[in-house]
Amino acid sequence: MPLASLIWSAGLACTLAAEQAPAPQPAAPAPRIEYFALVEEPRRIVGLARLLRRDMPGPAGALVHLELELEHWSLATTVRLTEAHGVHEGVARHELVWREQYGQPGQPAGRCLVARWTPRGEFETHQWGALEPLRRERELVRRPLFPLEIWEAERWGWRADGERYDPRSDALESSRRSPLGAILSRRCAGVREALGDATPELARLWSGPLLTGFRFAPGSPWALAISEQRWSELRSSRKAENASEIGWVTNPLPTRDVPDDYSGALAGRPLPR
């Protein structure tokens, strides 16, 4: 075969191989994890919290997973709030899962809730934990904001008002947020938030993009930022004192085996449409 033909054939083969080979996917950045201690006056630690963000790039979009875990030792309560925002296989996805367990060892109780903004432009929620599962749909003009989504926007300076969904009460409430300047000598900026007709309360403390403190709900203890080592020490010592774990609510939502992936809960929809 002439040299020119050989070179042309090799070039064509390389071109076809490049077209058929899957495009390399960008590597997902490492999760961002922040650690907190739940503190009541006078600086008494009553629990722990952990806030996580995981970016999930994909061929037809990208998802951001936000997760908050709260352990309140005094109330024997554990809460896990997970949100997903972004585009999955070309479709916008906004979903929330709330898992709450409470009670003394041997007498567990709790509630599970799944909320999502559907492609039909409706807000849909499912709840488990009562005698009968509850399903609800709301026709809204625009999508309500989720709690952790608001926090992530505040991290980068967005403070707009809007309607917020509260998974604790399965309620939609107007949310007004206003910035507060430097606090004491720490140069922390605060955000005051008012839900409905309530008086605005200091809800979150920021040092640049770092969350240094927050209150998840009015009247709840403050969560103050601590190191991962300190968080591990507190958690280990607490588990040593309470060897008997509180189980999850009976008949929980079906989930996948992958940690922190709650999409299986949405796939198993026990209630008919």
Side-chain angles (χ1 to χ4, degrees):
M1 179 182 293
L3 180 60
S5 299
L6 181 62
I7 295 175
W8 182 86
S9 300
L12 178 61
C14 292
T15 301
L16 293 176
E19 291 178 351
Q20 295 175 0
Q25 297 299 322
R32 184 193 68 213
I33 307 177
E34 297 168 294
Y35 302 89
F36 303 87
L38 302 184
V39 178
E40 290 182 348
E41 296 297 340
R43 299 193 65 82
R44 182 169 62 96
I45 297 178
V46 297
L48 295 172
R50 182 170 59 175
L51 182 62
L52 177 146
R53 170 179 171 143
R54 180 181 289 111
D55 292 87
M56 308 289 290
L63 285 175
V64 174
H65 285 248
L66 305 172
E67 183 174 315
L68 175 66
E69 293 180 353
L70 288 166
E71 300 178 20
H72 197 300
W73 300 330
S74 301
L75 301 179
T77 299
T78 301
V79 168
R80 184 179 181 187
L81 171 61
T82 310
E83 298 179 16
H85 300 279
V87 178
H88 179 64
E89 296 183 352
V91 179
R93 178 178 170 187
H94 299 280
E95 298 168 347
L96 173 153
V97 174
W98 169 275
R99 289 186 174 95
E100 178 181 3
Q101 66 176 51
Y102 44 86
Q104 299 301 321
Q107 298 178 337
R111 182 173 68 102
C112 297
L113 179 144
V114 177
R116 67 171 185 165
W117 182 251
T118 70
R120 305 182 307 275
E122 297 176 342
F123 189 61
E124 181 180 77
T125 59
H126 297 266
Q127 290 193 68
W128 292 259
L131 295 178
E132 295 291 338
L134 301 177
R135 180 175 180 273
R136 187 177 184 185
E137 286 187 352
R138 304 172 176 92
E139 294 185 2
L140 305 175
V141 176
R142 64 181 62 183
R143 180 180 70 84
L145 301 174
F146 292 164
L148 300 184
E149 175 188 21
I150 293 175
W151 294 15
E152 196 65 15
E154 287 178 356
R155 187 183 297 270
W156 308 111
W158 182 73
R159 303 277 196 279
D161 299 336
E163 195 168 39
R164 194 193 82 157
Y165 176 68
D166 187 351
R168 297 174 305 142
S169 57
D170 186 26
L172 296 168
E173 299 177 300
S174 61
S175 176
R176 306 188 311 277
R177 290 172 294 279
S178 57
L180 195 63
I183 299 174
L184 301 178
S185 60
R186 298 184 181 181
R187 298 181 180 177
C188 289
V191 174
R192 299 175 64 193
E193 184 175 24
L195 299 178
D197 298 329
T199 303
E201 293 188 5
L202 183 61
R204 287 166 290 280
L205 293 173
W206 298 95
S207 179
L210 300 178
L211 182 60
T212 59
F214 68 87
R215 242 180 179 167
F216 188 73
S220 62
W222 268 98
L224 302 179
I226 57 176
S227 66
E228 180 181 1
Q229 179 180 354
R230 178 60 173 157
W231 183 89
S232 299
E233 292 173 352
L234 290 170
R235 197 161 193 255
S236 298
S237 61
R238 181 62 185 178
K239 283 186 175 294
E241 295 176 8
N242 298 270
S244 57
E245 296 284 339
I246 300 176
W248 284 105
V249 61
T250 305
N251 190 25
L253 293 175
T255 57
R256 294 180 179 176
D257 295 332
V258 181
D260 303 321
D261 181 1
Y262 61 87
S263 56
L266 294 168
R269 299 176 57 167
L271 297 176
R273 291 199 53 79

